[in-house]
Amino acid sequence: MNFIYFLTEAQSAIPDAMNTLTISDVTLTFGGLNALTGVDMQIQPGLITSVIGPNGAGKTSLLNCISGFYHPTQGEIRYGSERLTRASPHQITKKGIARAFQNLELFRGLTVLDNLMLARHRHLTYGFFSALVYWGRAARLEAENRAFVEDVIDFMELEAYRKRAVGSLSYGIQKRVEVARALTLGPELLLLDEPMAGMNIEEKEDMVRFILDIQKEREITVALVEHDLGVVMDISDQVYVLDFGELIGAGSPREVAANRKVIDAYIGED
Amino acid sequence: MSANRWFATGNFYTTYRQEQRIFTTHLDRVLFGLFLFFLFVWPLFVSASNKHMLVINNILIAVVAVYGLNLVTGFAGLISIGHAAFVGIGAYTLAGTARAIGDSHVLITHAWPLMILISGFMGAAFGAFVGLPAMRLKHLYLAIATLSFQMIFSWTINFMTFFNQGQMIAVGRVFWISGQVGRNEHYLFWYYVILVTAVVCGLGVRNLLRTRYGRCLVAVRDNDRAADAMGMHPGLTKVYAFALAGFFAGIAGALHTYMFRGAGFESFTLHHSIIYLAMAIVGGLGTLPGSLFGPVAIQILELQMEHISEWAGTFLPATMNLATALRPLGFGLVIVLFLMFEPRGIANWWRICRSYFKLWPFRY
């Protein structure tokens, strides 16, 4: 998989208005255990930034810190000029940062359509009484946002599953719904937590294609936590390597692959 | 939409609004209209005795109350074993007002729609307050919190002289355009009021369920972590669910007080909370039609159990006390059987029927 020609195109089309996510000196402690220790990181707008590391390295903890499920014990997370360090998940979502979960956190009893409509929650700005009579603003906004949802369904190729209950779908499709739901939130920055875990080669290739399209066509910044090194090295613009909660390497995929510490900790020698 | 809008078969939508309709075919709409029409006109042709009207009115009041319980327990997944107390809040808002300003005050006899609405809002306020623990507690622990509210309510009513220590507090007869509603038309009058309330509330709930205000309830039920990530405050959403439940319960309570021309604490005990829960379960948790089927089924069952235990009392030895035990026994049995064999309730049978006729005249 060589997507280099995609990347050069995408990089030239970065909008200026988008914000950089800056993580400075973040430490996360559970009791006596340091899940993260003094992590510094920058997620540049318009790029695909990946975080890799062995199991238990703190990748998901880092993502949880960004999306507000954990609050760092020390350090600061900024998105543009705004501090996210103490914000709750719903506040962070409102700032335009969406998150797809590793262990599917879908609304299992609902259809794919309803799952995605739920992601439009903050865009459905009609009042309670308008909703009660389903007239005027409520009906109009529902239809408009439905159109947006349909656009995402089309983008993620979920047409066939629109009316199916999410719980009844296969794992690969559920993963795709998870990404679609995060996308439906209309984010500037999309955090993907191992979107390819447990997938077969074909599903992985599909997902890689989706991620590249998300970056290129929808102009959304992507932060990717992933296990599959091949994928990460192929599609990332920037790679950060975590080991035991500490940052041991950063840079372009080529630089990281050549980094001695990274090779020792993760990649192993040939 | 394609030419034939009478059947769902072979139809397709051309706008999203068409798809968001409550009734997707003319047939649905006409059948529902006929059903409503029937509900409104049958009393003109059949003169039911007061006893029967009382049962029917009771069922409809329970329908309004179960709308609320279904929203909080069925849709939002928060078990409430204090629903009768919320109904009681509504009932005692009205009864308390009657005690404070006199049971034939113009506010009570003439402005009764306003009083019903106020009772609803009072229920909502208490619902929101009792729902506050839901911001921290889940599952059984939350259920205990609602149970404690039920207990506090019963004790407060029982021991406060203002509430007549749980004895009946009378409420005067109301006025309609044609004058005071007398003894003879009392039940018929309230049948229509309750019916209109139930239909309006039902449509309101149906509308809420297809907007963000209904979807957020299901979101916190299925996965409140993800709900948080979707940009809604899960704690406040749960409080809102309780407020909504309290509102419908409050309205049901006020209707109850007006129909029985008074409120006494024995209609709002833990026993009634369990019955409301049973109605929601048997009807089908998390479905709107379930809020209709449940009360009907449970009320009929209760009446039948009464008959059966009466009949059983004629030949069972009195010392065994079986006849009296038969009623709660049969009642509990039905709930357990439903939970075991049809946890989705009667509404599921309805769904199966509908999905069969959806494709009619084709098999698949």
Side-chain angles (χ1 to χ4, degrees):
Chain A
M1 286 183 280
N2 191 341
F3 291 101
I4 300 298
Y5 63 98
F6 265 146
L7 300 180
T8 42
E9 266 177 43
Q11 276 169 1
S12 60
I14 301 165
D16 304 325
M18 286 166 87
N19 295 316
T20 307
L21 187 98
T22 316
I23 298 164
S24 36
D25 192 28
V26 162
T27 300
L28 178 70
T29 315
F30 295 114
L33 180 81
N34 275 8
L36 296 169
T37 319
V39 174
D40 287 296
M41 196 179 282
Q42 271 206 332
I43 297 174
Q44 302 283 356
L47 304 185
I48 296 181
T49 307
S50 296
V51 181
I52 57 171
N55 280 327
K59 305 182 296 289
T60 300
S61 293
L62 185 69
L63 224 55
N64 277 336
C65 281
I66 301 174
S67 55
F69 286 101
Y70 296 157
H71 299 303
T73 334
Q74 248 181 59
E76 198 182 46
I77 301 172
R78 280 181 172 281
Y79 186 58
S81 55
E82 287 176 284
R83 276 191 59 169
L84 303 182
T85 321
R86 293 277 143 217
S88 307
H90 56 270
Q91 290 165 327
I92 286 175
T93 303
K94 282 175 191 144
K95 295 196 197 314
I97 301 179
R99 156 94 185 262
F101 295 88
Q102 176 187 5
N103 305 316
L104 303 164
E105 303 264 3
L106 292 164
F107 306 110
R108 294 179 58 83
L110 295 177
T111 59
V112 172
L113 196 59
D114 282 337
N115 265 274
L116 299 187
M117 278 309 278
L118 262 162
R120 295 309 285 172
H121 190 77
R122 75 192 170 103
H123 298 274
L124 298 166
T125 50
Y126 45 79
F128 182 77
F129 291 99
S130 178
L132 212 53
V133 291
Y134 206 80
W135 199 262
R137 201 173 158 76
R140 185 167 53 80
L141 282 177
E142 281 289 324
E144 279 174 18
N145 282 284
R146 175 66 204 277
F148 185 93
V149 164
E150 211 56 44
D151 178 47
V152 173
I153 288 179
D154 181 44
F155 182 80
M156 294 297 291
E157 294 166 17
L158 287 165
E159 291 92 340
Y161 313 102
R162 206 182 273 131
K163 296 270 169 86
R164 296 266 300 275
V166 163
S168 68
L169 296 174
S170 73
Y171 182 78
I173 303 295
Q174 287 195 32
K175 274 276 191 197
R176 220 195 284 171
V177 176
E178 178 81 49
V179 175
R181 192 181 60 177
L183 213 54
T184 314
L185 286 163
E188 289 173 19
L189 168 59
L190 182 63
L191 311 171
L192 298 173
D193 196 352
E194 305 212 4
M196 283 156 249
M199 285 186 161
N200 62 32
I201 282 289
E202 197 178 337
E203 288 170 328
K204 262 184 197 173
E205 283 173 356
D206 279 346
M207 191 55 89
V208 167
R209 188 165 49 81
F210 286 132
I211 293 172
L212 288 168
D213 283 351
I214 287 169
Q215 182 213 17
K216 193 165 155 279
E217 281 179 30
R218 303 184 87 90
E219 295 181 346
I220 294 170
T221 313
V222 177
L224 181 70
V225 165
E226 189 44 64
H227 239 71
D228 191 318
L229 265 187
V231 169
V232 168
M233 294 303 177
D234 268 353
I235 68 172
S236 307
D237 300 303
Q238 182 82 1
V239 179
Y240 288 92
V241 189
L242 284 174
D243 192 22
F244 293 111
E246 282 179 69
L247 204 60
I248 58 166
S252 70
R254 204 180 300 257
E255 286 164 11
V256 167
N259 188 324
R260 192 72 236 166
K261 271 162 118 182
V262 177
I263 294 170
D264 286 346
Y266 191 36
I267 303 174
E269 286 172 81
D270 291 330
Chain B
M1 202 174 231
S2 64
N4 180 8
R5 292 203 40 205
W6 282 92
F7 299 109
T9 312
N11 266 335
F12 53 87
Y13 309 110
T14 50
T15 65
Y16 294 127
R17 285 204 183 195
Q18 284 175 352
E19 199 185 3
Q20 284 158 351
R21 285 193 182 121
I22 297 179
F23 305 107
T24 46
T25 61
H26 287 324
L27 193 65
D28 278 356
R29 193 172 295 122
V30 166
L31 285 179
F32 184 74
L34 279 178
F35 176 64
L36 273 191
F37 182 72
F38 167 76
L39 284 180
F40 275 96
V41 297
W42 74 263
L44 303 179
F45 301 105
V46 187
S47 64
S49 68
N50 278 353
K51 192 179 125 191
H52 287 124
M53 286 309 282
L54 187 69
V55 171
I56 291 165
N57 287 357
N58 257 333
I59 290 176
L60 282 174
I61 289 175
V63 166
V64 177
V66 172
Y67 283 148
L69 186 63
N70 223 335
L71 282 174
V72 73
T73 303
F75 286 96
L78 309 161
I79 302 169
S80 166
I81 354 184
H83 203 65
F86 293 125
V87 179
I89 292 288
Y92 271 95
T93 304
L94 179 57
T97 315
R99 204 163 157 83
I101 62 175
D103 65 358
S104 296
H105 192 277
V106 69
L107 206 58
I108 298 213
T109 54
H110 288 73
W112 51 268
L114 181 70
M115 282 311 295
I116 292 173
L117 212 56
I118 289 175
S119 304
F121 283 115
M122 200 68 172
F126 272 85
F129 180 70
V130 175
L132 285 179
M135 295 182 79
R136 295 275 165 183
L137 300 179
K138 272 186 184 177
H139 311 305
L140 275 178
Y141 305 99
L142 182 64
I144 301 286
T146 59
L147 177 65
S148 72
F149 174 66
Q150 171 73 54
M151 291 302 157
I152 293 167
F153 173 80
S154 297
W155 278 70
T156 312
I157 297 299
N158 264 329
F159 286 95
M160 273 181 75
T161 40
F162 177 72
F163 291 116
N164 209 7
Q165 291 179 316
Q167 303 297 308
M168 193 70 147
I169 300 174
V171 168
R173 290 192 181 281
V174 299
F175 281 79
W176 180 238
I177 301 164
S178 54
Q180 196 181 42
V181 178
R183 178 186 291 270
N184 290 329
E185 62 259 39
H186 179 78
Y187 285 114
L188 194 63
F189 174 75
W190 283 107
Y191 169 75
Y192 279 114
V193 173
I194 297 166
L195 181 62
V196 169
T197 315
V199 170
V200 169
C201 288
L203 287 176
V205 172
R206 183 68 185 79
N207 279 337
L208 277 190
L209 289 176
R210 51 184 178 150
T211 63
R212 72 192 286 243
Y213 295 95
R215 274 195 297 264
C216 66
L217 300 178
V218 190
V220 295
R221 175 191 72 189
D222 276 8
N223 193 332
D224 53 0
R225 246 168 80 85
D228 206 346
M230 293 300 106
M232 62 187 83
H233 192 301
L236 288 181
T237 307
K238 289 174 187 173
V239 172
Y240 153 74
F242 268 102
L244 218 52
F247 179 77
F248 289 111
I251 285 190
L255 292 172
H256 176 98
T257 305
Y258 269 128
M259 196 192 65
F260 284 93
R261 298 205 44 231
F265 99 101
E266 70 280 350
S267 306
F268 314 109
T269 56
L270 179 61
H271 174 72
H272 292 85
S273 283
I274 308 267
I275 290 194
Y276 284 131
L277 213 49
M279 286 172 177
I281 291 170
V282 169
L285 280 173
T287 57
L288 185 60
S291 317
L292 311 175
F293 300 135
V296 175
I298 293 290
Q299 291 273 10
I300 290 174
L301 174 76
E302 238 186 324
L303 286 178
Q304 293 310 315
M305 285 315 294
E306 222 163 293
H307 289 151
I308 292 174
S309 58
E310 243 171 58
W311 166 76
T314 55
F315 59 86
L316 284 172
T319 46
M320 283 171 70
N321 223 358
L322 266 176
T324 26
L326 211 59
R327 198 172 145 200
L329 204 72
F331 194 67
L333 189 70
V334 168
I335 296 174
V336 170
L337 287 179
F338 258 97
L339 281 175
M340 279 174 69
F341 296 109
E342 190 59 282
R344 284 181 288 181
I346 299 173
N348 197 37
W349 305 346
W350 175 244
R351 191 186 61 81
I352 292 167
C353 283
R354 276 180 63 95
S355 59
Y356 176 78
F357 280 104
K358 194 176 178 183
L359 295 177
W360 193 83
F362 305 109
R363 284 302 298 276
Y364 54 85

